Amino acid sequence: MGYIASGISMSLDGFVTGPGPTRERPLGERGEVLRRWLDEPMATGDRALLAGMRARTGAVVMGRNGYAPYEGGTAGPLGATPCVVLTHTPPKPDEIGAPEVFTFVTGGIGEALERAGELAGGKDVVLHGASPVQQALRAGLVDELCVSLTPVILGSGTRLFDNLEGVHVQLERLQVVMSPGVTHLRFQVSR
């Protein structure tokens, strides 16, 4: 299956979207502030961390809501990098804008990660969105968590570490990268 990592921006109070996320506004109300650190000019440390993650990424696993911004388009969040979408109801083949980029699976996180591993060409599989991260953590299938902690309190939205009752995850800090608009925390997940 390969190395499975997660890279996600999060508020200080643990939200990865603002309140009321929709397919049209996947980051919800005020959620765009979480990714402001990606705007130009990007800090040197941020740029290096992001470049390293992109270079290691061979495939992305996302939920149906994570796919929404790319629906009907010609590329995914990392351009032509293969994306495996977890869904209960896949779109019809003629509704997929980039069938060479997006693969849809209905069998759960294990099937999605297995398929992404096949597509990744020996590189990392990256989890995109709260639900895939939660599902993979519950299944004990995450090797690394990278949380880009944004200095904002959203008060509500989608929590990254929800739905993990009974799950114990031990983390070992690998790296901390600080810049004016974000603090990146990389952790190895111990099993």
Side-chain angles (χ1 to χ4, degrees):
M1 198 174 304
Y3 194 79
I4 300 168
S6 173
I8 197 162
S9 295
M10 183 176 78
S11 67
L12 285 175
D13 53 346
F15 294 101
V16 295
T17 75
T22 64
R23 291 183 82 157
E24 294 77 29
R25 287 182 64 191
L27 292 177
E29 185 180 327
R30 301 182 318 274
E32 64 280 349
V33 70
L34 296 171
R35 298 197 179 145
R36 196 170 288 155
W37 65 272
L38 292 164
D39 296 339
E40 293 294 335
M42 189 182 295
T44 303
D46 298 343
R47 182 174 282 114
L49 182 90
L50 191 60
M53 287 181 72
R54 284 184 173 163
R56 293 190 324 259
T57 300
V60 176
V61 171
M62 61 176 51
R64 190 69 161 89
N65 290 340
Y67 167 70
Y70 309 101
E71 200 165 25
T74 58
L78 296 178
T81 299
C83 296
V84 177
V85 182
L86 278 160
T87 184
H88 296 288
T89 310
K92 296 176 182 138
D94 62 337
E95 296 173 344
I96 303 169
E100 65 283 354
V101 174
F102 294 102
T103 301
F104 295 82
V105 298
T106 58
I109 193 68
E111 179 188 357
L113 290 170
E114 187 72 34
R115 183 68 181 121
E118 294 166 2
L119 296 169
K123 291 183 168 186
D124 295 356
V125 171
V126 173
L127 300 164
H128 176 74
S131 181
V133 171
Q134 293 165 9
Q135 291 177 53
L137 283 170
R138 280 195 305 271
L141 298 173
V142 179
D143 296 304
E144 181 181 310
L145 286 174
C146 181
V147 176
S148 297
L149 199 57
T150 306
V152 66
I153 296 174
L154 289 175
S156 64
T158 305
R159 287 194 184 276
L160 178 58
F161 299 118
D162 249 357
N163 307 309
L164 295 174
E165 296 80 15
V167 175
H168 176 78
V169 178
Q170 187 70 35
L171 304 173
E172 177 187 335
R173 187 180 64 228
L174 296 175
Q175 182 182 28
V176 176
V177 176
M178 295 172 43
S179 66
V182 66
T183 301
H184 305 283
L185 306 168
R186 281 185 62 220
F187 298 97
Q188 182 74 41
V189 178
S190 302
R191 296 192 176 102

